[in-house]
Amino acid sequence: MKKVWITLLTAILFQFVSAGDYAVLSPDGNLKVNVSLQGGILHYNVYYKGKVILEDSPLGMVTNVSDFSRDLQFVEKTERAIRETYSLKTVKQSHVEYVANEVVGTYQTPKGEVMRVVFRVSDNDLAFKYSLEQNGETARCVIEKELTGFKFPTFTTTFLTPQATPMIGWMRTKPSYEEGYVPDEPVGTPSRYGIGYTFPGLFRVGDNGWALVSETGVGSLYCGSKLSEGTAEGLYTIAFPEEGENNGIGSAQPGISLPGETPWRTLTVGDNLKPIVETTVAFDVVEPLYEPSIDYRFGRSTWSWLLWQDGSINYEDQKTYIDLSAELGYELVLIDNWWISRIGREKVEELARYAASKNVGISLWYNSNGYWSDAPQHPKNRMNTSVARKKEMAWLKSIGAKGIKVDFFGGDKQETMKLYEDILADANDHGLAVIFHGCTLPRGWERMYPNFAGSEAVLASENLIFNQRANDTEAYNATLHPFIRNSVGSMDFGPVLLNKRHNRGNDGGTTRKTTEIFQLATVVLFQSPIQNFGITPNNLTDYPSFVIDFMKEIPTLWNETRYIDGYPGKYAVIARRSGERWYVAAINAEKEVKELSVTLPMFAGKEVALYSDRNDRSPQLNRVVVSGDGKVTLKIQPEGGTILTH
Ligand code: CA
């Protein structure tokens, strides 16, 4: 009898403690997510190897028909193991094995409305999303607010970039994810504009580890979200776009049909930066939304506009750049803004034929406008409506164009995310690869849209032309991207500017501070399936031939990406493999020569090509034999670089 009572009491107690409280463990057991209902409010926390990464952080949302922010009751949970392999042609690594544990928790409001939270935990990544059920005849809702938060311990420091105020910047085109990062700031430090931070956000949780917060799977069915301003307690929550973005057009709050779901929010965790550099979580939890209509070519491109600017948008200069691409063996050439009036359609058709005769494809620039900014560059009003877009793309296909670059979006509202998706989907129908500029962060798009070829969403190389400060901080910024922006998606930075002065004549304008080998290293550090390089015709003979030979051989698609070493803002060492060939690239943003001992198992016992800076900062190429244990000491000049390849 006594035993029965104890069993019953235990059962009641267990029920009381465990109702809605459960843990989700990674397959290797190191990453642990604890989910709990506290007074009807849903929370989760995250531990890595037993150390706290996120303290109790809120979950839930308020919609215009239901309130999932309080009074929730646990209904049930279901579990399954996920093992999936997929190919990922355009970013980071070509073959991915995704192994995760999924737990779906079901909760209901006192009115019986149902919200599910889906957690997927792989060895270094957490991805979670909400799904809402239809309730009676209510088949739609607007999400007024998400409670979703990330509460870091107060000793955490942040590496974040602010969201810009709507309708500021050049011709009122912001926000466009072109703000700087501030490294190692205490949590709760106010951001530059006071309206939060754009994804991804990097957090250093003291000695407990590193965490990268982002989101993925955002297409036309939700807005792009951001992180709120942080509190002094370390809490950052999901925030929606500002009302004023895109000239105030469209709702800042996302709407979904019921049943429906939110995008995935992701947290990548490690005790060093390796899992963050190598993560594929942005792609693991999304699906291709359509099949590629052709086998997209992607590849290397030259681009007159970067160094020669608007004055080069004429027939003769474009022919010169087609010749430059042909000379380098590149697949593409990009003709930038104003071509419609300065070259004209007929002459562009002639250029396309000339390029094709040299085995080079052309890409053409477009303004996304529309009525949401004052950006004056033409062609305008070709990409913003379905009718105009399809007509334009039919012409692009007829002249054999390979891709488009669409600029000046200026917001993250659902309406704008739909425009990105519509452009991508229509472009695929016409066999066109798409690059976005003046734009938002891509959120899983490399896998969702097979013709997506990169987004700017970074303080890109054009700034090296615009102002000296960008040159003075070039090395610093370059050491951030592999750990933050470029970690979650392709980045159309436009790297490799080999002119010493950033103007057409290489004799005026801003001054490059970094070395030539630094510039070469950025093609390994920065990744995008189409790379628009800042090489100019004079560069073919400016340097010893091994410099340009390196640029002729470098690929843009990689089979593997590996973290070797680095600290955001100080230095970065990243390895990428293409076929059998590994490239290891290192850069130094600090003021002194850096001596780094690294282990490069891919080169153990092999003779490799070593590109480095001489003491006078000029480029040199040596052949060295790496010892059998793969240990190498790199000596990197300030604002310089080193590359090893075999
Ligand atoms: Ca830009």
Side-chain angles (χ1 to χ4, degrees):
M1 190 67 187
K2 195 173 170 186
K3 196 176 166 191
V4 171
W5 271 110
I6 289 170
T7 309
L8 196 60
L9 195 65
T10 310
I12 290 166
L13 265 177
F14 183 73
Q15 183 113 36
F16 184 72
V17 172
S18 70
D21 293 6
Y22 52 88
V24 193
L25 274 175
S26 62
D28 70 0
N30 286 331
L31 186 60
K32 186 180 186 188
V33 180
N34 298 297
V35 185
S36 63
L37 260 182
Q38 299 171 15
I41 301 172
L42 196 58
H43 285 81
Y44 74 114
N45 62 40
V46 176
Y47 283 75
Y48 185 69
K49 293 183 179 171
K51 293 175 184 164
V52 66
I53 299 295
L54 291 185
E55 296 170 349
D56 281 349
S57 305
L59 294 168
M61 66 174 78
V62 179
T63 79
N64 64 339
V65 291
S66 311
D67 185 352
F68 298 103
S69 72
R70 59 198 170 94
D71 303 325
L72 292 177
Q73 283 179 328
F74 175 69
V75 179
E76 61 170 358
K77 72 176 165 83
T78 58
E79 298 177 31
R80 72 184 175 116
I82 295 172
R83 180 175 287 272
E84 195 197 336
T85 57
Y86 64 93
S87 59
L88 186 60
K89 183 177 171 184
T90 57
V91 66
K92 294 189 105 165
Q93 69 180 76
S94 55
H95 181 82
V96 182
E97 217 178 315
Y98 179 57
V99 183
N101 291 323
E102 180 185 273
V103 174
V104 182
T106 304
Y107 303 86
Q108 65 179 16
T109 67
K111 289 196 277 181
E113 301 144 316
V114 171
M115 176 180 82
R116 295 195 168 84
V117 189
V118 183
F119 292 95
R120 284 194 190 170
V121 183
S122 50
D123 285 349
N124 292 94
D125 297 288
L126 161 66
F128 64 96
K129 67 178 177 182
Y130 305 98
S131 72
L132 303 183
E133 289 295 297
Q134 182 168 346
N135 188 41
E137 68 180 21
T138 304
R140 45 73 221 172
C141 71
V142 173
I143 317 294
E144 293 180 339
K145 179 174 95 161
E146 283 194 37
L147 273 67
T148 319
F150 305 86
K151 188 183 181 305
F152 289 94
T154 51
F155 55 80
T156 302
T157 55
T158 69
F159 300 70
L160 296 171
T161 184
Q163 176 67 313
T165 311
M167 307 297 286
I168 62 165
W170 191 75
M171 293 290 170
R172 286 146 296 281
T173 54
K174 285 191 178 188
S176 49
Y177 289 60
E178 293 174 291
E179 312 307 313
Y181 283 84
V182 186
D184 260 329
E185 275 193 320
V187 289
T189 307
S191 81
R192 178 168 172 202
Y193 301 102
I195 54 168
Y197 300 92
T198 55
F199 289 123
L202 180 65
F203 296 82
R204 185 182 181 182
V205 192
D207 294 333
N208 292 5
W210 291 86
L212 188 73
V213 179
S214 195
E215 67 173 356
T216 189
V218 184
S220 57
L221 300 177
Y222 215 78
C223 63
S225 299
K226 62 182 176 181
L227 288 176
S228 68
E229 293 284 295
T231 68
E233 290 75 39
L235 177 65
Y236 293 79
T237 54
I238 292 289
F240 293 146
E242 299 298 305
E243 296 281 353
E245 288 179 18
N246 279 114
N247 205 16
I249 297 154
S251 172
Q253 296 164 332
I256 60 175
S257 61
L258 300 175
E261 57 186 38
T262 67
W264 295 92
R265 287 3 180 302
T266 63
L267 184 79
T268 301
V269 182
D271 40 28
N272 57 42
L273 289 159
K274 182 177 168 68
I276 286 165
V277 168
E278 298 176 9
T279 183
T280 53
V281 70
F283 319 108
D284 295 339
V285 293
V286 302
E287 296 281 341
L289 297 185
Y290 49 74
E291 288 296 314
S293 67
I294 62 164
D295 185 11
Y296 287 98
R297 210 174 172 190
F298 303 108
R300 293 84 47 87
S301 180
T302 64
W303 177 36
S304 76
W305 181 84
L306 185 63
L307 266 299
W308 291 12
Q309 295 279 290
D310 287 355
S312 69
I313 309 302
N314 61 68
Y315 181 84
E316 282 307 320
D317 283 346
Q318 293 312 311
K319 227 174 141 203
T320 301
Y321 269 78
I322 292 166
D323 292 341
L324 177 61
S325 276
E327 173 81 29
L328 291 161
Y330 287 2
E331 293 79 7
L332 296 162
V333 71
L334 168 64
I335 306 178
D336 216 283
N337 64 183
W338 294 116
W339 59 265
I340 187 111
S341 54
R342 298 185 184 196
I343 302 174
R345 283 185 195 271
E346 259 177 51
K347 283 289 190 188
V348 163
E349 290 177 20
E350 219 176 290
L351 285 169
R353 280 194 298 273
Y354 178 70
S357 77
K358 300 204 143 196
N359 210 20
V360 174
I362 69 163
S363 303
L364 289 171
W365 184 97
Y366 287 88
N367 192 331
S368 82
N369 269 345
Y371 41 76
W372 39 86
S373 78
D374 298 324
Q377 289 99 319
H378 280 268
K380 290 176 72 166
N381 295 306
R382 298 301 204 292
M383 288 293 139
N384 57 314
T385 65
S386 173
V387 173
R389 191 165 55 230
K390 285 176 177 165
K391 193 175 161 200
E392 188 70 22
M393 288 178 174
W395 173 74
L396 286 161
K397 186 177 181 180
S398 77
I399 68 165
K402 301 300 177 196
I404 53 173
K405 169 181 171 180
V406 190
D407 211 334
F408 302 129
F409 286 84
D412 290 341
K413 290 175 181 175
Q414 188 167 356
E415 173 146 331
T416 313
M417 305 314 277
K418 184 174 181 303
L419 177 62
Y420 287 109
E421 183 172 284
D422 290 348
I423 291 171
L424 284 159
D426 284 349
N428 183 55
D429 288 346
H430 296 87
L432 298 164
V434 181
I435 288 177
F436 294 119
H437 257 240
C439 59
T440 194
L441 178 78
R443 292 161 162 91
W445 296 0
E446 289 80 355
R447 192 169 177 207
M448 291 160 69
Y449 311 111
N451 58 326
F452 171 70
S455 293
E456 184 183 29
V458 66
L459 213 47
S461 61
E462 61 188 21
N463 293 281
L464 300 169
I465 320 301
F466 298 157
N467 65 74
Q468 185 57 42
R469 194 182 135 69
N471 291 275
D472 299 343
T473 55
E474 183 185 7
Y476 160 78
N477 282 307
T479 62
L480 300 171
H481 304 319
F483 306 112
I484 311 175
R485 164 65 182 85
N486 211 182
S487 168
V488 299
S490 302
M491 181 176 85
D492 186 37
F493 182 86
V496 191
L497 287 74
L498 292 173
N499 278 6
K500 289 183 189 294
R501 300 295 300 273
H502 293 325
N503 70 341
R504 182 166 179 155
N506 199 8
D507 56 1
T510 56
T511 303
R512 171 160 58 82
K513 295 292 191 69
T514 59
T515 66
E516 286 79 44
I517 299 299
F518 177 102
Q519 291 295 319
L520 299 190
T522 58
V523 306
V524 181
L525 289 175
F526 301 166
Q527 207 237 312
S528 222
I530 291 177
Q531 292 262 40
N532 292 297
F533 294 131
I535 298 175
T536 55
N538 53 294
N539 297 152
L540 292 173
T541 52
D542 283 346
Y543 300 103
S545 59
F546 67 80
V547 171
I548 277 301
D549 289 345
F550 178 90
M551 289 306 299
K552 288 178 180 172
E553 290 171 10
I554 193 77
T556 63
L557 302 177
W558 302 97
N559 298 105
E560 217 175 316
T561 293
R562 292 256 187 93
Y563 163 86
I564 304 294
D565 200 355
Y567 192 93
K570 295 180 177 172
Y571 68 106
V573 191
I574 304 293
R576 295 192 204 270
R577 179 175 65 80
S578 167
E580 295 299 304
R581 187 166 182 183
W582 279 96
Y583 289 83
V584 174
I587 55 167
N588 174 18
E590 297 191 284
K591 297 285 168 239
E592 299 85 38
V593 175
K594 186 170 274 298
E595 278 205 28
L596 274 181
S597 297
V598 293
T599 304
L600 306 173
M602 63 285 278
F603 296 146
K606 291 183 177 157
E607 188 185 295
V608 299
L610 172 68
Y611 297 78
S612 63
D613 306 310
R614 290 198 180 91
N615 289 340
D616 69 1
R617 305 178 67 73
S618 64
Q620 62 179 335
L621 171 62
N622 297 293
R623 298 205 67 88
V624 297
V625 177
V626 176
S627 63
D629 59 6
K631 285 202 189 335
V632 178
T633 302
L634 305 177
K635 194 174 155 196
I636 319 169
Q637 295 293 321
E639 301 177 295
T642 300
I643 305 160
L644 295 95
T645 183
H646 72 90

